[in-house]
């Protein structure tokens, strides 16, 4: 409930401080007195646009402040999610704007954005007027309104639908990602396979290039190596004068001296070791010489193999190990393509299962909506009949969109016909001001029972209607006021008389300055104001009596 409203420097309002009760409240006064400005102040508190031309002439800033009383449920649902405390379930909204266009918004002392303010206040205040009832006229809101009538079963179905929708969306995203990656990879797959086939054909081995280089050196220099070995063998043993023969003769000489001292025996032992090691060296040389072949064919093979490996190094890696790492990487990419294909099949299967479950629940939800829609159609028709629109027909269209959505697959839109023989039209296309007012009121009567918005503000809901219809509208406004706070700006004495509380707005001029004042009316003041609304300046005793009768009805 809106408990207090304070406005400063808004248009012709200097200072305004109002306190509201529960129930049905009316704001009355002459045309141009400033009733709509008060509504503008409330609009500021729910996040509507503010411009510097709204600031009172000569002032540097404007401000609007409202004190709202909320329920425990609203406190949990609305404020907790924004990190705002609400002691005693009270919400204080303050908004300011200066002449430089700088605005600030506070909720219980916490600075918030306009977007957040709209979210917070959208569940507390609903303003309904001939041209400001977008919420009801916007067909996208009709499904939300209908769903409020679905009860516990509907809430359960909607919860399941939401879970399945999210799951379906996640799976679809994964499928899309895999398919994108696959498409990117498939474009390269043939190239990967060509590279892998080339590498597998060559089949390089780690360290192979080093061993080939060694073999190449030996094969390329085989003749020179063989010649040097043979010359060495000749010098050591096979020549006329060779080291082995000379060492042998020297040994014989030292052997003959061994009897003359141990030092000659030691020397002989060393010479023996050298002799036998020299013999071993010659044997090794002979073996090496025999192993070395001048093999031009093998040399060509080694050269070609080295050339192939060098080409691979240029294409795939600076070393054999680098080539092998590259080979493993493209083999893994090809393998991943096959694994992704397996994952994709599983995801497609899972998506199909989710869709089957979703379609099943969406169909059940649609049937429930259709069932509830019939009851709403009847209630709306009854309300419109009460409001002197006996020929009105109402139909809530529920169509299958064939598209998976978070609220199911249904398109919901309210259609109405206000006169006999007239075809049903979308609610938004009703042109008559008087008809719009009554339709909006009838819809509000129905939906206010379930949409839990505690404050309803009607901006001249009586526009375009008169006589008995106005009385019916008044009765409905009071009826809504029994379970919600209703604030109505009106020119109708019949509506004003049915209110629980009435404020009189008056425009005064003093010292060439215009300002608006607001006064809460007592019983006597209400009789006088309703009499003025009935007869203008020509108020007679009979008018006063009529005004009193209206209040006592």
């Amino acid at each position: 409930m809106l408990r207090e409203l304070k406005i400063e420097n808004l248009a012709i309002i200097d200072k305004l401080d109002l306190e509201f009760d529960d129930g049905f409240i009316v704001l009355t006064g002459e045309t141009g007195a400033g009733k709509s400005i008060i509504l503008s102040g409330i609009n500021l508190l729910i996040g509507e646009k503010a411009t510097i031309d709204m600031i009172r002439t000569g002032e540097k800033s404007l401000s609007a402040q409202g004190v709202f009383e909320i329920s425990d449920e609203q406190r949990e649902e609305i404020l907790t999610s924004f990190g705002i405390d609400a002691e005693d379930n009270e919400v204080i909204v303050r908004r300011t704007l200066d002449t430089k266009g700088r605005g600030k918004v506070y909720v219980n002392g916490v600075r918030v954005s306009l977007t957040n303010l709209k979210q917070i206040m959208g569940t507390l205040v609903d303003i309904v007027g001939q041209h400001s009832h977008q919420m009801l006229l916007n067909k996208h809101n009709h499904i939300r309104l209908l769903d409020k009538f679905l009860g516990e079963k509907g809430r359960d179905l909607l919860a399941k639908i939401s879970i399945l929708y999210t799951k379906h969306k996640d799976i679809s995203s994964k499928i899309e990602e895999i398919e994108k990656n696959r498409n990117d990879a498939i474009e390269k797959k043939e190239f990967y396979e060509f590279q892998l086939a080339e590498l597998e054909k060559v089949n390089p081995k780690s360290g192979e290039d080093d061993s080939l280089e060694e073999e190449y050196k030996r094969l390329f220099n085989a003749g020179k190596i063989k010649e040097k070995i043979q010359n060495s063998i000749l010098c050591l043993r096979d020549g006329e004068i060779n080291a082995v023969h000379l060492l042998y003769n020297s040994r014989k000489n030292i052997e003959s001296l061994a009897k003359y001292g141990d030092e000659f025996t030691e020397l002989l032992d060393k010479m023996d070791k050298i002799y036998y090691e020299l013999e071993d060296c010659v044997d090794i040389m002979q073996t090496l010489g025999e192993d070395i072949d001048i093999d031009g064919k093998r040399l060509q093979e080694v050269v070609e193999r080295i050339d192939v490996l060098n080409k691979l190094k240029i294409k795939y890696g600076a070393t054999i190990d680098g080539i092998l790492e590259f080979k493993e990487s493209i083999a893994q990419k090809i393998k991943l393509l096959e694994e992704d294909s397996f994952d994709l099949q599983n995801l497609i299967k899972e998506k199909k299962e989710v869709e089957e479950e979703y379609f099943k629940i969406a169909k059940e939800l649609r049937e429930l909506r259709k069932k509830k829609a019939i009851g709403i159609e009847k209630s709306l028709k009854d309300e419109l009949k009460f409001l002197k629109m006996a020929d009105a027909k109402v139909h809530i269209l529920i169509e299958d969109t064939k598209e998976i959505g978070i609220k199911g697959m249904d398109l919901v839109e309210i259609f109405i016909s206000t006169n006999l023989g007239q075809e049903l039209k979308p609610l938004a296309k009703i042109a008559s001001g008087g008809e719009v007012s009554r339709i909006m009121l009838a819809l509000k009567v129905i939906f206010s029972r379930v949409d839990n918005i505690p404050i309803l503000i009607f901006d001249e809901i009586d526009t375009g209607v008169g006589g008995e219809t106005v009385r019916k509208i008044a009765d409905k406004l009071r009826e809504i006021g029994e379970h919600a706070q209703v604030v109505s700006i009106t020119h109708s004495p019949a509506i004003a008389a049915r209110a629980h509380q009435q404020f009189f707005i008056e425009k005064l001029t003093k010292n060439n300055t215009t300002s608006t004042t607001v006064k809460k009316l007592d019983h006597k003041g209400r009789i006088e104001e309703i009499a003025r609304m009935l007869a203008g300046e020509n108020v007679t005793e009979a008018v006063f009596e009529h005004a009193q009768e209206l209040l006592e009805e």
Side-chain angles (χ1 to χ4, degrees):
M1 305 296 176
L2 175 61
R3 291 304 178 202
E4 296 179 29
L5 176 65
K6 293 183 179 181
I7 299 173
E8 293 185 7
N9 300 326
L10 176 60
I12 59 173
I13 293 178
D14 179 11
K15 286 186 179 180
L16 188 71
D17 192 347
L18 303 179
E19 293 186 4
F20 295 105
D21 296 333
D22 294 343
F24 178 28
I25 304 159
V26 291
L27 305 177
T28 63
E30 293 183 356
T31 301
K35 298 186 293 298
S36 61
I37 300 173
I38 296 173
L39 182 59
S40 295
I42 298 174
N43 274 326
L44 290 174
L45 297 179
I46 65 175
E48 294 300 320
K49 184 179 179 181
T51 57
I52 58 174
D53 59 1
M54 298 170 71
I55 300 173
R56 181 177 168 86
T57 302
E59 301 296 336
K60 295 180 179 180
S61 65
L62 66 78
S63 69
Q65 178 174 299
V67 179
F68 299 86
E69 183 181 298
I70 61 175
S71 65
D72 292 337
E73 182 181 0
Q74 288 167 334
R75 181 184 62 195
E76 293 297 321
E77 289 183 0
I78 304 168
L79 297 185
T80 303
S81 60
F82 292 96
I84 299 173
D85 294 328
E87 294 182 5
D88 300 324
N89 289 12
E90 188 174 80
V91 178
I92 301 175
V93 179
R94 177 173 171 78
R95 186 173 176 188
T96 62
L97 178 72
D98 63 24
T99 52
K100 293 183 179 179
R102 296 175 299 196
K104 295 180 181 180
V105 181
Y106 298 90
V107 178
N108 283 4
V110 177
R111 182 90 179 262
V112 300
S113 66
L114 272 181
T115 299
N116 288 348
L117 178 65
K118 284 186 177 182
Q119 286 182 277
I120 292 170
M121 300 307 294
T123 59
L124 295 179
V125 181
D126 187 12
I127 297 180
V128 183
Q130 186 176 346
H131 302 291
S132 60
H133 37 57
Q134 290 93 345
M135 194 279 286
L136 280 174
L137 292 182
N138 187 342
K139 66 181 181 181
H140 298 295
N141 290 320
H142 294 178
I143 190 170
R144 183 178 65 83
L145 293 169
L146 173 58
D147 286 349
K148 289 181 178 293
F149 286 86
L150 300 184
E152 186 175 348
K153 182 180 180 181
R155 288 191 292 273
D156 181 57
L157 291 174
L158 283 167
K160 289 178 180 178
I161 280 286
S162 179
I163 292 170
L164 289 169
Y165 169 81
T166 302
K167 191 173 183 180
H168 183 271
K169 187 177 180 181
D170 290 343
I171 294 172
S172 297
S173 295
K174 289 177 183 177
I175 290 174
E176 184 179 346
E177 183 179 0
I178 289 175
E179 287 181 336
K180 181 181 182 300
N181 292 337
R182 275 178 57 80
N183 290 335
D184 292 343
I186 285 171
E187 291 178 1
K188 300 176 182 177
K189 185 180 178 184
E190 290 184 2
F191 185 55
Y192 288 154
E193 289 175 341
F194 167 79
Q195 291 177 318
L196 186 60
E198 183 180 25
L199 291 170
E200 287 179 342
K201 182 179 179 181
V202 176
N203 195 25
K205 302 289 190 299
S206 181
E208 181 184 2
D209 52 345
D210 293 333
S211 63
L212 284 171
E213 288 293 339
E214 288 296 322
E215 186 178 1
Y216 169 78
K217 290 177 184 178
R218 290 179 63 180
L219 287 170
F220 185 78
N221 296 288
K224 184 187 295 185
I225 295 169
K226 201 171 187 69
E227 181 185 351
K228 294 291 184 182
I229 289 174
Q230 287 174 349
N231 287 338
S232 297
I233 293 172
L234 185 63
C235 291
L236 291 175
R237 190 173 63 186
D238 293 345
E240 292 182 4
I241 299 174
N242 58 72
V244 173
H245 180 69
L246 292 174
L247 181 58
Y248 179 79
N249 289 335
S250 296
R251 179 186 176 282
K252 284 293 184 181
N253 291 329
I254 298 302
E255 185 180 16
S256 65
L257 299 176
K259 57 186 177 182
Y260 299 115
D262 291 340
E263 64 272 24
F264 295 107
T265 303
E266 291 176 3
L267 178 59
L268 182 62
D269 289 341
K270 290 183 178 182
M271 293 181 75
D272 282 343
K273 288 180 181 179
I274 293 171
Y275 176 78
Y276 291 118
E277 286 182 0
L278 196 57
E279 282 286 349
D280 286 342
C281 287
V282 174
D283 291 339
I284 292 171
M285 288 180 189
Q286 286 180 330
T287 301
L288 290 173
E290 292 170 359
D291 289 344
I292 293 175
D293 295 324
I294 301 175
D295 189 344
K297 182 180 180 181
R298 175 58 185 163
L299 177 60
Q300 183 63 29
E301 290 174 353
V302 170
V303 170
E304 290 176 355
R305 181 68 176 175
I306 290 174
D307 184 54
V308 168
L309 292 176
N310 285 338
K311 288 179 179 178
L312 290 183
K313 288 179 182 179
I314 293 171
K315 293 172 70 174
Y316 304 122
T319 64
I320 294 293
D321 288 342
I323 292 171
L324 293 174
E325 288 177 7
F326 180 81
K327 178 185 176 184
E328 178 62 27
S329 72
I330 59 174
Q332 189 66 23
K333 288 177 181 178
I334 294 171
K335 181 182 177 183
L336 283 174
L337 278 175
E338 296 171 354
E339 290 178 354
D340 282 348
S341 179
F342 178 75
D343 290 343
L344 182 61
Q345 291 173 6
N346 286 340
L347 285 170
I348 290 173
K349 181 181 177 182
E350 186 179 1
K351 181 180 178 181
K352 184 178 180 181
E353 292 172 352
V354 170
E355 285 177 349
E356 288 175 354
E357 181 66 15
Y358 179 95
F359 295 148
K360 177 185 174 183
I361 295 175
K363 183 179 179 181
E364 190 176 351
L365 181 60
R366 184 178 301 119
E367 293 305 314
L368 181 60
R369 281 172 172 156
K370 287 182 177 179
K371 181 180 177 181
K372 294 295 181 181
I374 293 171
I376 295 172
E377 289 170 355
K378 185 179 182 304
S379 296
L380 280 173
K381 189 172 181 180
D382 291 343
E383 293 296 337
L384 290 171
K385 184 177 181 181
F386 178 84
L387 294 171
K388 299 299 181 179
M389 293 178 69
D391 295 327
K393 294 180 181 178
V394 180
H395 176 59
I396 299 177
L397 176 68
I398 301 174
E399 288 186 327
D400 186 352
T401 63
K402 308 295 183 183
E403 295 180 3
I404 291 176
I406 197 168
K407 291 183 178 295
M409 303 178 71
D410 299 334
L411 170 67
V412 176
E413 185 172 5
I414 300 172
F415 281 71
I416 192 164
S417 168
T418 57
N419 298 299
L420 282 175
Q422 188 180 61
E423 65 179 10
L424 290 162
K425 295 179 181 179
L427 186 61
K429 292 188 176 181
I430 299 300
S432 167
E435 288 179 343
V436 169
S437 296
R438 283 178 282 174
I439 292 167
M440 290 301 103
L441 180 57
L443 287 168
K444 273 299 169 186
V445 171
I446 299 298
F447 290 116
S448 66
R449 298 167 187 167
V450 290
D451 62 13
N452 297 320
I453 295 180
I455 306 167
L456 300 174
I457 299 174
F458 292 89
D459 182 13
E460 299 188 2
I461 193 70
D462 52 301
T463 298
V465 293
E468 183 62 22
T469 302
V470 174
R471 291 178 179 272
K472 295 292 186 179
I473 290 174
D475 289 340
K476 282 300 171 184
L477 290 174
R478 188 174 179 95
E479 179 184 322
I480 299 173
E482 297 300 326
H483 53 84
Q485 186 184 48
V486 176
V487 179
S488 178
I489 295 173
T490 185
H491 290 285
S492 167
I495 290 177
R498 295 292 285 150
H500 296 101
Q501 187 179 30
Q502 183 173 353
F503 291 88
F504 175 63
I505 296 95
E506 185 178 16
K507 182 169 65 175
L508 300 176
T509 302
K510 186 177 181 180
N511 298 327
N512 295 320
T513 301
T514 302
S515 62
T516 291
T517 62
V518 181
K519 180 172 65 175
K520 180 182 177 181
L521 300 178
D522 56 16
H523 185 72
K524 181 182 177 182
R526 292 189 66 186
I527 294 173
E528 292 173 351
E529 169 60 4
I530 291 171
R532 183 200 66 77
M533 295 172 74
L534 286 167
E537 298 297 327
N538 302 314
V539 177
T540 64
E541 187 65 29
V543 172
F544 271 108
E545 290 178 3
H546 182 39
Q548 190 167 359
E549 288 173 1
L550 286 175
L551 273 174
E552 293 174 354
E553 284 183 356

